[in-house]
Amino acid sequence: MRSGGTGRGSVGVLSAGVAFVGGRWVEGVEVRHEAGRIRSVKRVRGAGKGRILLPGLVNAHAHLELTFLGGRLAPAPFPEWARRLMEERAKRSPGDIEESIREGIRRSVAAGTAAVGDFAWLSKNDALRQSGLRSVSWREAIGIAPERADEAARRALGFLERKTSTWSPGLAPHAPYSCSGELYRRLFLEARRARVPFATHLSELREEVEYLRSGGGPFRDMLRRLGRDAGTWRPPRKRPAPYLAWLGALRGATAAHANYLTAADVALLRRFRVAVVWCPRTHAFFGHPAHPVKRLLRAGVPVALGTDSLGSSPTLDVRGEIRAATARGLSLETALRMATEHGARALGLRRSGRIAAGCAADFTVIGGELPGDLLDGPVLEVIVAGRRPVVSQL
């Protein structure tokens, strides 16, 4: 939970039996904080028994508008799944969507989420702006026809509002298969001008790669069924990452999924300082082959964790993504850095994601009856199984 939730001017001391500090476990920790900033971190023997202290967990890729989809969509080929999603969303009123977002916020807070990166298409910003969660609301733009780029960009730019201490707007062309190069260029330049985060779905699907290379395959039929007139669009005959680099719309971006990458793609993401967000349980839902997460991390590309939507993931609890990441061979420490430090990087939160003096006082505290020696015991079970309560200290 984010410390200072009852007021940014709060002053306090937080102690824990075990804390995740500097990428490692430390026993007996006391953290002093004031006005939303950590003032000091020190070792104190016997402090805070019964509590585990983590940097605030970051859900770096979510679609809170789609919280209403929980349990409604079964695994299916992506074009069929997307069709069903659009049908379900079309049944909902603006009020329904707002309530879906608020329910998503409630579930996120209950799971210990301190920050969230939300892709928004239909909603306004009110719910997240008022929630107290650190958050980025990326306005998702769609428009494959080049001649309609100005219209699609104007709709997205109308979403840009003044930042607050905890909330920022962002811009997000949906994906290279659903947005023209003109739309990417326009929104990237506007994001730079407004100094807001820029994100996109990238290399999510095999069909995406095929569509960009040839203009054919299942995606052409899917876009037609969804009424997405391609107009004068022509396939760039490039892979997604090189295509966005060629457009000048890759540097410093946050790329959701990045499931299908070549070695050259990985090198390009590192060169352009892209942050990747992996959603392990959505990845498994669609049956993708092994994610290139280890190659990305070895190359120095920060990889964060996200839950995606309840249309493809069972919960909005980042601890479930940590558990899934460790099941795929990553250490708990690596997965926790992805869910904290790397997540903050993906959202552009420079002072979040770490427990250190000068950083934001954002914490996730796990309480309950804990084993006597956590460092030699079932740490993973305690942290991510979801059977220990997440408690707010302030």
Side-chain angles (χ1 to χ4, degrees):
M1 304 290 286
R2 178 172 58 79
S3 80
T6 57
R8 278 286 168 181
S10 61
V11 179
V13 178
L14 189 58
S15 61
V18 178
F20 191 63
V21 180
R24 63 189 181 90
W25 297 106
V26 179
E27 291 187 273
V29 171
E30 182 181 272
V31 179
R32 293 184 177 272
H33 56 88
E34 181 179 0
R37 292 275 179 244
I38 296 173
R39 299 305 179 191
S40 65
V41 181
K42 64 179 182 179
R43 299 282 300 274
V44 177
R45 185 184 298 274
K49 290 183 177 179
R51 281 193 297 249
I52 301 173
L53 180 63
L54 307 174
L57 294 176
V58 180
N59 185 352
H61 183 67
H63 294 267
L64 298 182
E65 290 180 351
L66 303 180
T67 302
F68 71 86
L69 283 175
R72 292 179 180 272
L73 299 182
F78 186 85
E80 174 63 18
W81 176 88
R83 181 187 65 78
R84 293 184 203 166
L85 184 153
M86 296 293 285
E87 288 176 350
E88 290 289 338
R89 185 156 61 180
K91 300 174 185 176
R92 267 66 189 182
S93 69
D96 294 334
I97 296 299
E98 285 297 319
E99 178 52 35
S100 186
I101 294 169
R102 295 184 190 283
E103 177 61 21
I105 292 170
R106 287 191 287 268
R107 294 187 187 201
S108 298
V109 170
T113 305
V116 62
D118 182 46
F119 271 49
W121 187 43
L122 296 176
S123 63
K124 297 180 180 179
N125 304 317
D126 295 347
L128 271 174
R129 282 171 62 97
Q130 298 166 6
S131 70
L133 275 174
R134 290 197 191 278
S135 53
V136 174
S137 293
W138 276 298
R139 171 53 63 178
E140 194 170 46
I142 293 178
I144 190 66
E147 49 270 67
R148 296 181 182 173
D150 285 345
E151 177 187 352
R154 280 196 301 271
R155 285 198 299 269
L157 294 174
F159 183 77
L160 294 182
E161 300 180 48
R162 187 182 298 275
K163 300 177 185 179
T164 72
S165 61
T166 59
W167 175 87
S168 172
L171 292 172
H174 172 258
Y177 64 82
S178 59
C179 294
S180 66
E182 287 78 359
L183 183 54
Y184 265 101
R185 287 193 182 104
R186 174 79 182 276
L187 292 183
F188 184 83
L189 291 175
E190 291 291 349
R192 284 297 176 91
R193 181 191 61 78
R195 297 184 178 181
V196 300
F198 181 85
T200 190
H201 297 80
L202 184 71
S203 295
E204 182 179 3
L205 304 150
R206 282 196 181 100
E207 296 91 339
E208 171 186 347
V209 177
E210 179 182 359
Y211 188 61
L212 292 183
R213 282 178 168 171
S214 69
F219 267 28
R220 181 177 62 182
D221 297 333
M222 178 187 76
L223 293 171
R224 284 178 177 173
R225 286 197 302 271
L226 294 175
R228 308 296 184 195
D229 178 14
T232 60
W233 182 86
R234 296 293 180 268
R237 304 193 185 282
K238 298 177 184 291
R239 290 182 58 81
Y243 175 45
L244 295 195
W246 177 73
L247 290 171
L250 189 63
R251 186 172 299 278
T254 294
H257 302 300
N259 296 326
Y260 295 91
L261 300 176
T262 65
D265 292 339
V266 171
L268 199 61
L269 296 183
R270 178 184 179 182
R271 175 186 168 191
F272 284 94
R273 298 185 178 184
V274 173
V276 166
V277 186
W278 176 34
C279 304
R281 292 184 293 175
T282 286
H283 191 95
F285 178 90
F286 286 111
H288 297 302
H291 191 272
V293 55
K294 293 181 180 178
R295 285 191 287 136
L296 287 162
L297 292 172
R298 284 196 299 267
V301 177
V303 181
L305 293 177
T307 63
D308 212 344
S309 81
L310 292 192
S312 57
S313 185
T315 72
L316 297 175
D317 191 336
V318 181
R319 292 175 296 172
E321 307 303 331
I322 296 172
R323 181 168 61 249
T326 59
R328 287 157 179 76
L330 297 179
S331 69
L332 174 60
E333 291 74 16
T334 296
L336 279 172
R337 287 191 66 199
M338 293 165 67
T340 54
E341 183 179 347
H342 291 188
R345 164 79 178 274
L347 270 58
L349 303 175
R350 296 181 180 179
R351 292 184 176 272
S352 292
R354 294 178 296 131
I355 297 176
C359 289
D362 292 351
F363 311 112
T364 296
V365 185
I366 299 175
E369 185 178 348
L370 304 177
D373 189 352
L374 278 170
L375 296 184
D376 292 329
V379 181
L380 177 63
E381 171 70 13
V382 171
I383 291 175
V384 305
R387 289 191 285 271
R388 300 299 200 280
V390 177
V391 295
S392 174
Q393 298 299 308
L394 296 172

